[in-house]
Amino acid sequence: MAYDNRLQKNSLAEQAARLPHAWQAALQGPPVARALADVTAYVEQRLAAGAVVYPATPFRALDGLSPADVRVVILGQDPYHGPGQAQGLAFSVPDDCKRPPSLRNIFNQIAQDCPGTALPQGNDLSRWARQGVLLLNTCLTVEDGQAASHAKRGWETVTDALIGLVARDPSPKAFLLWGAHAQAKQALLPSNSGHLILTANHPSPLSARRPPVPFLGCGHFARVNAWLAGQGKTPIDWTTENTTYIRQTEFGL
C-alpha cells in the first residue's frame, strides 16, 4: 500500500500546537508567532480550496529531538512534491519509494567516506534522526507537483527561529550546508560557538560535481564523525542502522 503523505485539512495548526516545549520556545516572539499563524492560515486555505499539500507531518524533523539532543544539522529547501515521497525529513523518502537523485549522491558520498561498509538499501533517514541528526527543510510544506509553491509564505521565518535555537545551544553541533540556499543560513550561527560548519555544493546532479566545492568528494560524513570523536561523542552510523543493506559496489563506485 502506498504511503499517503498528504496533509489533511485543519491538521497543521493542531500539529504546531503539539510541538514539544523545547521547540515552542523558538516560536514565542511576535514576528515568529505571526509568521507561523500566517503560513498556517495560508496552508489551511489552500487545503480548503482542494489543493494537495505534502507532507502529512510537516514538523516531523522535530519529533523525538530536543535542541540539546541535536548533534548534526542537515538543511534542505522544501519537501519533495510527489505522491508518497515527502516524510517531513529533509532528503528522506520511504524505503519503497524510488531513490531521488540527490539522495543517491548523498549515499554515493557516504560510500566514499566509509569504505568497506555496507550501505542501506532503503531511503528512510529516520535512523539518522534517531542519532541526533536534524533533517530540516527551510520550507515545511509544498503543493503537489509545484516545487517551492509555499516558499516566502512565512515558513522561512519559522525555520530560521528553529535553526537559531539549535545554534545557541551550548553543545557544539556540526552544520552541513549544501548549496547557496543552505549556506545563507550560516548568518544564523553565532561566531565563536565551537560549531563545525561544512559547506559544499548541493547534492543535486545539476551541481554535485561542479565547483567551487563539489558535493561529490567533499568528505563531509567522515569529517563529521572525526569531529564528533574529537569531542568525545559517538560518531553517526551513516550506513547500517535498522535497515537492509547492499554492497557499496552495487552503486557502481
Side-chain angles (χ1 to χ4, degrees):
M1 182 177 178
Y3 166 60
D4 185 355
N5 65 327
R6 295 172 295 178
L7 185 65
Q8 301 300 313
K9 292 180 183 179
N10 304 317
S11 67
L12 183 56
E14 295 174 0
Q15 292 184 42
R18 292 198 302 268
L19 282 174
H21 177 74
W23 296 110
Q24 290 281 3
L27 309 178
Q28 300 303 315
V32 182
R34 183 165 56 250
L36 180 57
D38 288 346
V39 72
T40 299
Y42 175 76
V43 171
E44 299 294 1
Q45 177 186 10
R46 294 298 299 139
L47 288 168
V52 175
V53 176
Y54 307 125
T57 52
F59 297 103
R60 183 180 169 191
L62 309 180
D63 288 350
L65 277 180
S66 71
D69 293 329
V70 174
R71 299 194 291 150
V72 181
V73 179
I74 297 178
L75 297 179
Q77 191 162 352
D78 68 340
Y80 296 115
H81 51 81
Q85 290 183 303
Q87 300 176 292
L89 300 174
F91 296 105
S92 180
V93 296
D95 284 341
D96 59 358
C97 188
K98 181 179 179 181
R99 182 168 295 160
S102 291
L103 184 57
R104 186 163 59 246
N105 279 337
I106 288 170
F107 282 0
N108 285 345
Q109 184 55 48
I110 290 172
Q112 292 183 33
D113 284 4
C114 307
T117 62
L119 287 177
Q121 186 173 12
N123 305 314
D124 187 335
L125 303 182
S126 298
R127 60 190 183 279
W128 293 4
R130 288 191 291 270
Q131 298 177 78
V133 181
L134 178 63
L135 297 160
L136 185 68
N137 283 315
T138 57
C139 186
L140 298 187
T141 56
V142 70
E143 292 186 27
D144 180 59
Q146 301 180 56
S149 49
H150 289 186
K152 300 180 180 179
R153 295 285 181 178
W155 277 131
E156 294 85 355
T157 299
V158 173
T159 54
D160 279 1
L162 297 173
I163 296 166
L165 181 67
V166 171
R168 292 190 300 273
D169 185 79
S171 179
K173 326 287 185 188
F175 286 82
L176 306 189
L177 307 180
W178 300 332
H181 183 84
Q183 288 161 23
K185 304 304 180 181
Q186 191 166 345
L188 301 172
L189 310 183
S191 59
N192 302 317
S193 61
H195 298 314
L196 175 67
I197 302 171
L198 301 178
T199 63
N201 285 5
H202 194 276
S204 163
L206 297 176
S207 59
R209 298 182 185 275
R210 293 182 178 179
V213 184
F215 175 81
L216 291 172
C218 69
H220 282 185
F221 301 98
R223 291 171 67 183
V224 164
N225 278 354
W227 179 79
L228 287 170
Q231 299 274 321
K233 299 177 181 178
T234 304
I236 303 297
D237 181 354
W238 300 111
T239 59
T240 60
E241 186 198 358
N242 295 332
T243 189
T244 54
Y245 321 109
I246 59 177
R247 295 180 183 274
Q248 69 179 48
T249 52
E250 294 180 42
F251 282 74
L253 298 174

